Amino acid sequence: LIEQVEALDGYLRNFLPAMYAAGLLPLIFTLAVLPTDWIVAFLFLGTPPLIPVFMALVGWGAEAVNKRHQEVLRQLSGMFGDRIRGIFTLTLLGRSQAEVQAVKEANDRLNQATMSVLRIAFISSAVLELFAALGVAGVAVYIGFSYLGSFGPAFSDYSLQHGLFCLIIAPEVYNPLRQLAAGYHERATAQAATEQIEALLHAQ
């Protein structure tokens, strides 16, 4: 039960604040850049929602993997506790080495489940960075073509300060979403831990 409660720490400490920041800060940055350039504001308003959509798709798989990880962890904890309590009886029966091997096999299963969780976390982070880089690159390409006059006279009189302001603020729009993605697997872990806590409490 203590291990499952500790799994909620990352959700409460990291994911919840990041979720509120990801919902508010991109909108604030969009409103800040709107008087300067409405096209950049449109890019800021249109591209960030693609990231939570992808995270939701990944979250379906992450939740299942985290449930398996929490179940394997619970089984290993119970197995280890049972063997410690019955070590004297196991030694008398000559089963100590066999049980040590069983604990090692359970530990290997936990390692495999942990690697599955980390694999999904790394994949989601990599795709998030790709979306964020494409968003910033889109703003940079737009500013560059505007300086070249490719979009007509209405977009050719931009100053250097205009372009620098848009380019400096662009990464900050996606930074809250990066933090949200970094803690997204903690949400899946917390959901799996909550189910384990409910099962343990109902079993009492």
Side-chain angles (χ1 to χ4, degrees):
L1 182 60
I2 292 175
E3 291 171 353
Q4 309 304 329
V5 172
E6 289 178 349
L8 303 177
D9 179 69
Y11 173 78
L12 298 174
R13 184 180 57 185
N14 298 327
F15 181 78
L16 280 183
M19 182 176 64
Y20 290 118
L24 293 176
L25 292 180
L27 183 59
I28 293 173
F29 288 130
T30 300
L31 294 176
V33 81
L34 182 60
T36 303
D37 194 313
W38 65 271
I39 294 182
V40 174
F42 177 76
L43 291 174
F44 288 168
L45 194 62
T47 54
L50 297 176
I51 298 175
V53 170
F54 171 77
M55 289 170 56
L57 295 175
V58 174
W60 292 340
E63 184 176 354
V65 172
N66 275 280
K67 285 181 180 179
R68 179 173 175 269
H69 179 263
Q70 293 294 328
E71 178 64 23
V72 173
L73 178 61
R74 185 186 65 83
Q75 291 176 357
L76 178 60
S77 300
M79 176 184 292
F80 188 74
D82 291 340
R83 271 51 175 186
I84 290 296
R85 285 190 296 268
I87 189 169
F88 180 71
T89 304
L90 292 172
T91 302
L92 290 178
L93 297 176
R95 293 284 303 171
S96 57
Q97 291 300 323
E99 294 304 324
V100 167
Q101 183 62 32
V103 172
K104 288 182 179 180
E105 293 175 356
N107 183 67
D108 291 339
R109 291 195 296 271
L110 176 62
N111 291 338
Q112 293 176 359
T114 302
M115 292 305 297
S116 298
V117 173
L118 293 176
R119 189 180 301 114
I120 290 181
F122 283 128
I123 291 175
S124 61
S125 298
V127 176
L128 169 66
E129 292 296 332
L130 174 63
F131 277 116
L134 290 176
V136 176
V139 175
V141 169
Y142 162 71
I143 295 296
F145 278 108
S146 298
Y147 285 150
L148 294 175
S150 301
F151 300 124
F155 299 94
S156 60
D157 57 347
Y158 288 155
S159 64
L160 177 62
Q161 290 80 5
H162 168 274
L164 284 177
F165 175 73
C166 294
L167 290 175
I168 289 173
I169 204 172
E172 300 302 323
V173 175
Y174 299 96
N175 189 47
L177 295 170
R178 288 191 181 98
Q179 297 177 355
L180 180 64
Y184 194 74
H185 68 281
E186 294 177 339
R187 172 184 176 272
T189 301
Q191 286 182 334
T194 301
E195 294 183 2
Q196 293 290 338
I197 291 173
E198 291 178 351
L200 289 170
L201 293 178
H202 289 312
Q204 299 298 321

